[in-house]
Amino acid sequence: MEEAPRWLTAEEQTSWRAYLRASRELSFALEKDLQCHGVSLSEYELLSMLSEADDGRLRMSALADLIVQSRSRVTHTATRLERRGWVERGPAPDDGRGVVVQLTDAGRQAVESFAVEHVESVRRHLVDVLTPAQLAALGEAMGAVHTAYRADPTTPEPSECPTMEL
């Protein structure tokens, strides 16, 4: 016999919907502010992770894990950035099957120029909206969500999910 779903209480539903709406609005606002500079949030995030990495380079798989995107999406983003001269791709030195993404000098200049706008956008749309205690609680809560996600063996890989046919 199948167990009945644990439906959300009215209070839980209110919090869940507030999270969904605000997280989407925040992403939309951050995306819009960066688009004014000709870069998307996912492009900026990829460049930012590379700028913080040793020697400005990461394996494609590690980059996908850091920015929580599929490897194919990271490949498409890297292709766009490579066309702009901001990154270069090449074989991993320790494994010919792996691919390394390297930030170029032009890419470093680009991410440094976008960082000013991005940080101001994060402040305007999130940090300055919350009290320090709310921001700390948000960080703690999202850390718990991240830890639970990583530890949940029931989270299927997309390839394991049945497709919906309409």
Side-chain angles (χ1 to χ4, degrees):
M1 181 184 240
E2 218 173 283
E3 208 174 299
R6 293 178 44 222
W7 297 109
L8 299 180
T9 65
E11 185 177 271
E12 290 168 336
Q13 183 76 297
T14 297
S15 294
W16 170 240
R17 288 189 176 156
Y19 163 78
L20 276 180
R21 181 177 189 92
S23 65
R24 288 181 179 147
E25 288 171 337
L26 178 60
S27 291
F28 182 75
L30 297 174
E31 183 80 44
K32 242 173 77 173
D33 286 345
L34 283 170
Q35 282 179 351
C36 290
H37 298 277
V39 68
S40 70
L41 184 57
S42 63
E43 290 169 337
Y44 174 80
E45 189 175 17
L46 189 150
L47 292 169
S48 177
M49 291 298 104
L50 288 174
S51 75
E52 295 171 10
D54 291 339
D55 300 326
R57 81 175 78 183
L58 287 167
R59 288 180 70 99
M60 192 79 82
S61 57
L63 194 51
D65 288 345
L66 277 174
I67 62 177
V68 192
Q69 289 187 3
S70 70
R71 290 180 186 176
S72 64
R73 181 172 289 242
V74 172
T75 298
H76 290 300
T77 303
T79 298
R80 288 193 309 273
L81 296 174
E82 197 169 31
R83 279 191 222 123
R84 294 180 183 177
W86 293 345
V87 301
E88 295 173 341
R89 288 182 286 179
D94 59 333
D95 174 11
R97 296 175 300 161
V99 176
V100 171
V101 183
Q102 171 82 46
L103 188 65
T104 64
D105 289 342
R108 186 167 299 283
Q109 289 175 347
V111 73
E112 288 172 359
S113 72
F114 303 143
V116 172
E117 177 59 39
H118 180 66
V119 169
E120 177 53 37
S121 183
V122 170
R123 285 200 165 284
R124 187 172 68 251
H125 298 297
L126 178 69
V127 174
D128 293 345
V129 173
L130 303 176
T131 66
Q134 288 172 323
L135 186 61
L138 176 65
E140 185 178 329
M142 292 298 98
V145 170
H146 170 72
T147 299
Y149 171 76
R150 292 297 220 184
D152 185 353
T154 64
T155 303
E157 292 297 323
S159 61
E160 299 170 352
C161 298
T163 57
M164 291 179 50
E165 294 187 26
L166 301 176

